[in-house]
Amino acid sequence: MCVLHVQSCSCAEPTGKGLLGPGTAGRLCAVSLTSVQPSSIQGAPFRTYCQYSRCWIGILTRGKGEREFAFLHWFSPSPAARSNRGFLMFDAVRNNKKIVQGFLLLITLPFAFWGVDSYVKGGSGGDEVASIGGSPIFQAEFQEALREQQDRLRNMMGENFNPAMLDTPETRQAVLENLVNQRLLALESGQLRLTVSDTQLRDTIAGIAAFQDNGQFSKQRYEAVLQSQGMTQPVFEGRLRRDLALQQLVGAVAEGNVVSRAALERVFAVQFEQRQVSQVALDARTLAASVKLADGAVRKYYDDNRSRFELPAQLKAEYVLFTQEAVASQLVVSEGDLRKEYDAHPERYRQEEERRASHILIQAPKDGDEASRKTAREKAVALLAQLKAKPTDFTRLARESSQDPGSAEKGGDLGFFPRGAMVKPFEDAAFALAHPGDISDLVESDFGYHIIRLEAVKAAKVRAFEDVKAEIKEELKRTESGRKFAELVEGFSNTVYEQADSLKPAAEKYKLEVLSSDWLAKGQKAASPFDNDKVLTALFADDAVKNKRNTDAIDLGQGRVIAARVLEHKPASVRPFEEVKADIERLLTTEEAVKLAEKDGSDKLAKLLKGESVELAWTTPQTVSRADQGVPPDVLAAVFRARADKLPSYAGLTVPGRGYALFRIEKVMRPEITSKDDPRLKALGEQYARLQAEQDFAAYIASLRKRHEVKLSLPAISEQKDR
């Protein structure tokens, strides 16, 4: 859909009557237009909410192979329209959660640490590594982003994570480019004046699990969590408000893509095509005996690749781990303190009224057809008539007729539940029943038709002190230990720094145990708490190795601080030639054998493609598709690149370290769309829309880079590595 061409970013009046549709006189900002097709603009590409939101949607232009993205701003003169600002942008986020979440991986974690203010105004912390529209990114931000990426990969890969994989120029530049993208989004959000209402902010905070008790928002938990993180309520809410504004921006991009039926069907035909394939493996091992290595080849390989045989530096360390948990274990909370907290906040320990009910459900989904819903209602009405005539039959009828698989076999019994646990119509009916044994009239919900019988009532009450004493004690300890830990960390840090020749003074002062590690290798994964790059870097530093001095106290996050000291050290070394000679011989022999197998396979493939006969032991045909998880991707690529207009067709590829493989494609099966609601088509459409949204997002970021001058200092991030 090429509806307009973007020339530059500025403010401009609409160039055609009714540009945004009937009755939408207003002002377009952020783009100047060289050509416009009003009829297209008034159509589907511009969602109806463009009439109500001041900052509504971006338009992707596609022409001559280029992709650009621009935002149209329309400031409505209507006070009613202005009152809706932001809400419809939030619809874009809600409607495309999976896509938006994918984009937000790019922006959320660094904002949590630095806050959006630092992205717009620039923080502090050493030399600049980049500048975006005059807004600097400093070394401290870059290093923190690098650590965040490392932590993310460590969580994903577990024990397979190796810190060295991030220690490359390519990775460091990728992290910097990501920071640049984050800053661009923050700058754009500020310029667009995206806002988040107090209601939206409250709803978001209430939905964060860390701030909840028993599934409900707890102000006490909210304040305790922020206090433990050393963050005030206004600072957190300000950062979250700006982060949500950025989500609106990302959501608008996600909303702007449309997948045509014709394009989707073409992708469907390719994606679900199947082929019957036979194969022959030319195993390099069968040719190994014919390989004769040149004199001196093994020694030359050793000399040319000494780095492959290096053993990294290793060390053993002792360490002390100072944790908030350790502080909490030393705290004593008196009975009086517990009672005082209980009396001061009775509302926290109030247990709301609960009701136990049974029901009979006749399913009639809200989106079902009218005839089936009518039939379901008639059946429910008949059951209700039977119950009015004989209420004691409720349990039997529930077992026989209820279509709720979770409760039918229990006679419809749903157990006790409070308000808010059931859908609203069901809840209202259940809590309106006066006495156990009472039966409701017919109740309609999104699930169908219910008949409800009240079984028992637990009146609202305040839980007894003895029942909640342990919870109060745990909460008080958590709050107090967070505060006290923050106070003690500075003293702990000073002790390990001032008495740098031993960890015992700090251990004795803070009642900690001095522990010892196994051998730790530089640049390789290690067990907790040495799975932190900052700890290993400090231990392998010259001062720590040569002088065996304590490292600084290092914050591991989650209320944990560590200090360590080197006990033993082994410098890096190279394994002797004689020790690795046999391994090198096997490696070189395999490489030469693979080359022989590859030549043999290529010759055979050439003959097959010419139509010549070649004696080969083909396997039994196997049906494969592009989405086949059991087939290596390079094999699928070779098989589906082969021509399908004349069968059999052939393909081949080198199998690294093993030889060569030949494939014979004997049959091609084209997929058929079984109906307009084919679930495969729907799933593929979602994937395709996500892919388009990712491309649109990349195009949008590219357009921001054109509007904001971006300067990178790649030497700065390389120099920082060596400091």
Side-chain angles (χ1 to χ4, degrees):
M1 75 175 174
C2 184
V3 295
L4 43 86
H5 295 280
V6 179
Q7 181 181 30
S8 63
C9 298
S10 60
C11 287
E13 295 299 322
T15 59
K17 184 179 180 181
L19 181 63
L20 298 177
T24 57
R27 188 164 65 96
L28 283 171
C29 286
V31 295
S32 64
L33 311 175
T34 58
S35 66
V36 184
Q37 298 173 349
S39 60
S40 297
I41 292 178
Q42 292 172 2
F46 291 81
R47 309 303 170 97
T48 55
Y49 65 72
C50 71
Q51 298 183 24
Y52 304 104
S53 175
R54 69 166 180 165
C55 190
W56 44 284
I57 194 167
I59 303 170
L60 182 65
T61 70
R62 297 181 175 92
K64 298 181 180 179
E66 296 181 354
R67 298 166 60 84
E68 292 188 351
F69 205 99
F71 267 94
L72 295 180
H73 290 255
W74 177 52
F75 293 83
S76 168
S78 164
R82 284 197 294 270
S83 70
N84 286 321
R85 288 176 180 175
F87 283 96
L88 293 162
M89 290 286 280
F90 265 80
D91 288 339
V93 177
R94 285 191 290 266
N95 294 338
N96 296 275
K97 283 186 177 180
K98 291 183 179 179
I99 297 175
V100 173
Q101 287 167 358
F103 295 154
L104 291 179
L105 288 176
L106 299 175
I107 63 175
T108 49
L109 289 177
F111 286 159
F113 185 85
W114 294 101
V116 178
D117 275 345
S118 68
Y119 276 78
V120 177
K121 300 175 183 176
S124 60
D127 302 330
E128 286 187 19
V129 296
S131 174
I132 300 89
S135 175
I137 295 176
F138 291 104
Q139 280 283 6
E141 295 172 70
F142 171 72
Q143 292 300 322
E144 180 61 25
L146 204 59
R147 285 190 289 271
E148 292 282 2
Q149 178 67 7
Q150 186 178 71
D151 292 342
R152 204 173 302 130
L153 287 174
R154 183 182 291 110
N155 290 335
M156 290 171 55
M157 302 176 66
E159 61 181 19
N160 295 319
F161 173 70
N162 183 353
M165 67 176 60
L166 291 177
D167 199 14
T168 66
E170 295 80 10
T171 301
R172 300 174 76 82
Q173 182 174 350
V175 170
L176 180 59
E177 293 284 356
N178 195 31
L179 277 176
V180 169
N181 292 343
Q182 295 160 9
R183 182 66 58 85
L184 287 167
L185 289 171
L187 288 171
E188 188 72 357
S189 175
Q191 290 184 4
L192 302 185
R193 300 178 184 177
L194 296 181
T195 59
V196 175
S197 71
D198 291 342
T199 299
Q200 291 162 347
L201 184 66
R202 281 195 300 268
D203 290 346
T204 300
I205 293 174
I208 297 175
F211 303 149
Q212 295 179 348
D213 261 332
N214 296 322
Q216 299 294 320
F217 174 74
S218 165
K219 184 171 176 57
Q220 182 184 25
R221 174 64 60 84
Y222 176 48
E223 293 171 348
V225 170
L226 294 187
Q227 186 179 31
S228 69
Q229 298 297 317
M231 189 180 296
T232 65
Q233 198 168 322
V235 168
F236 171 77
E237 291 177 2
R239 291 180 180 180
L240 181 59
R241 189 187 295 273
R242 288 183 285 270
D243 192 20
L244 290 173
L246 283 172
Q247 292 188 32
Q248 296 180 50
L249 188 61
V250 174
V253 178
E255 179 76 359
N257 67 86
V258 178
V259 180
S260 73
R261 175 78 179 196
L264 185 56
E265 288 182 359
R266 287 195 297 270
V267 174
F268 179 87
V270 172
Q271 182 69 16
F272 291 99
E273 177 186 306
Q274 293 181 316
R275 297 190 173 192
Q276 277 191 356
V277 184
S278 301
Q279 64 175 315
V280 173
L282 305 179
D283 195 338
R285 290 176 297 182
T286 62
L287 302 172
S290 61
V291 173
K292 182 173 176 59
L293 299 177
D295 293 340
V298 177
R299 183 73 204 199
K300 184 178 186 305
Y301 184 89
Y302 177 80
D303 292 338
D304 292 345
N305 298 276
R306 292 177 69 87
S307 61
R308 292 184 124 191
F309 308 108
E310 286 182 355
L311 293 173
Q314 300 179 70
L315 60 79
K316 281 188 175 182
E318 63 178 4
Y319 64 99
V320 287
L321 199 59
F322 185 41
T323 66
Q324 182 179 337
E325 184 180 357
V327 173
S329 68
Q330 298 171 22
L331 293 176
V332 176
V333 182
S334 69
E335 187 84 3
D337 291 336
L338 297 176
R339 174 61 74 172
K340 182 178 179 181
E341 179 71 12
Y342 177 81
D343 292 339
H345 303 284
E347 72 282 357
R348 294 179 186 171
Y349 313 110
R350 176 179 173 81
Q351 186 171 328
E352 299 298 333
E353 177 185 331
E354 292 186 359
R355 295 200 162 199
R356 180 182 170 192
S358 299
H359 81 138
I360 297 172
L361 169 66
I362 303 302
Q363 293 184 1
K366 189 176 182 180
D367 56 355
D369 62 87
E370 186 176 345
S372 62
R373 289 185 61 82
K374 181 181 179 182
T375 300
R377 179 179 176 82
E378 289 172 352
K379 182 175 181 180
V381 168
L383 288 169
L384 181 60
Q386 292 183 57
L387 289 170
K388 285 183 176 180
K390 193 175 182 182
T392 54
D393 281 351
F394 191 98
T395 300
R396 179 180 64 79
L397 289 175
R399 287 197 180 99
E400 295 174 355
S401 303
S402 179
Q403 295 171 356
D404 177 6
S407 67
E409 63 182 17
K410 296 182 290 186
D413 191 0
L414 296 168
F416 281 98
F417 53 88
R419 286 189 178 274
M422 301 294 183
V423 293
K424 193 69 166 58
F426 188 101
E427 175 190 296
D428 291 344
F431 278 84
L433 296 173
H435 307 289
D438 288 354
I439 296 176
S440 72
D441 289 329
L442 213 58
V443 178
E444 182 178 357
S445 77
D446 289 350
F447 300 100
Y449 299 99
H450 308 260
I451 303 170
I452 306 168
R453 182 175 70 181
L454 181 63
E455 305 291 353
V457 177
K458 286 183 181 178
K461 65 176 182 178
V462 176
R463 297 166 66 192
F465 173 71
E466 291 299 325
D467 294 339
V468 297
K469 184 166 68 172
E471 296 177 24
I472 300 173
K473 185 175 183 179
E474 182 181 346
E475 188 65 40
L476 289 180
K477 277 194 169 188
R478 181 166 50 246
T479 303
E480 179 61 17
S481 64
R483 183 191 64 77
K484 194 170 184 64
F485 178 73
E487 293 175 357
L488 294 175
V489 162
E490 184 176 357
F492 175 79
S493 300
N494 290 338
T495 303
V496 298
Y497 175 77
E498 293 166 359
Q499 302 187 53
D501 294 329
S502 174
L503 293 170
K504 288 183 180 178
E508 292 172 355
K509 182 176 180 179
Y510 294 96
K511 300 179 182 178
L512 305 172
E513 183 181 359
V514 179
L515 305 170
S516 298
S517 75
D518 292 327
W519 284 104
L520 305 171
K522 187 175 184 179
Q524 295 185 7
K525 62 184 180 181
S528 178
F530 299 100
D531 55 347
N532 185 293
D533 188 49
K534 292 181 286 188
V535 178
L536 290 179
T537 299
L539 279 171
F540 281 99
D542 288 344
D543 185 51
V545 171
K546 293 178 181 177
N547 302 317
K548 292 186 169 52
R549 298 174 67 83
N550 297 341
T551 67
D552 290 340
I554 298 170
D555 185 4
L556 299 177
Q558 299 180 328
R560 299 183 306 151
V561 175
I562 189 175
R565 179 172 170 270
V566 176
L567 293 175
E568 298 181 59
H569 179 261
K570 293 179 182 178
S573 60
V574 179
R575 296 171 68 188
F577 174 68
E578 291 300 326
E579 184 179 315
V580 298
K581 180 180 177 181
D583 292 336
I584 298 174
E585 286 178 347
R586 281 192 293 272
L587 173 66
L588 296 181
T589 299
T590 299
E591 288 180 352
E592 292 302 314
V594 168
K595 290 178 183 178
L596 293 175
E598 183 177 5
K599 184 179 184 308
D600 184 34
S602 297
D603 292 343
K604 287 181 168 61
L605 178 60
K607 292 180 179 179
L608 290 168
L609 292 174
K610 291 177 182 178
E612 298 179 15
S613 177
V614 180
E615 286 295 327
L616 292 169
W618 296 101
T619 62
T620 302
Q622 175 186 355
T623 300
V624 298
S625 68
R626 282 183 170 84
D628 200 323
Q629 298 293 319
V631 181
D634 53 348
V635 172
L636 289 176
V639 167
F640 282 93
R641 272 200 306 265
R643 296 180 60 175
D645 55 343
K646 184 179 180 181
L647 300 176
S649 61
Y650 299 91
L653 82 160
T654 301
V655 183
R658 296 175 59 186
Y660 196 83
L662 290 167
F663 304 97
R664 181 173 67 186
I665 295 85
E666 302 179 4
K667 185 178 180 182
V668 175
M669 290 84 82
R670 312 285 185 187
E672 292 184 2
I673 299 175
T674 56
S675 69
K676 66 177 183 179
D677 299 322
D678 192 318
R680 297 173 300 167
L681 200 64
K682 180 181 178 182
L684 186 61
E686 292 173 353
Q687 295 173 15
Y688 192 28
R690 189 176 300 115
L691 176 62
Q692 279 198 344
E694 290 170 358
Q695 293 174 340
D696 291 354
F697 187 74
Y700 176 54
I701 290 293
S703 73
L704 293 183
R705 283 176 174 255
K706 291 180 181 179
R707 276 189 272 159
H708 302 279
E709 184 180 12
V710 176
K711 297 179 181 178
L712 304 182
S713 177
L714 298 181
I717 62 174
S718 298
E719 290 166 7
Q720 180 67 15
K721 170 186 170 182
D722 299 327
R723 292 180 182 178

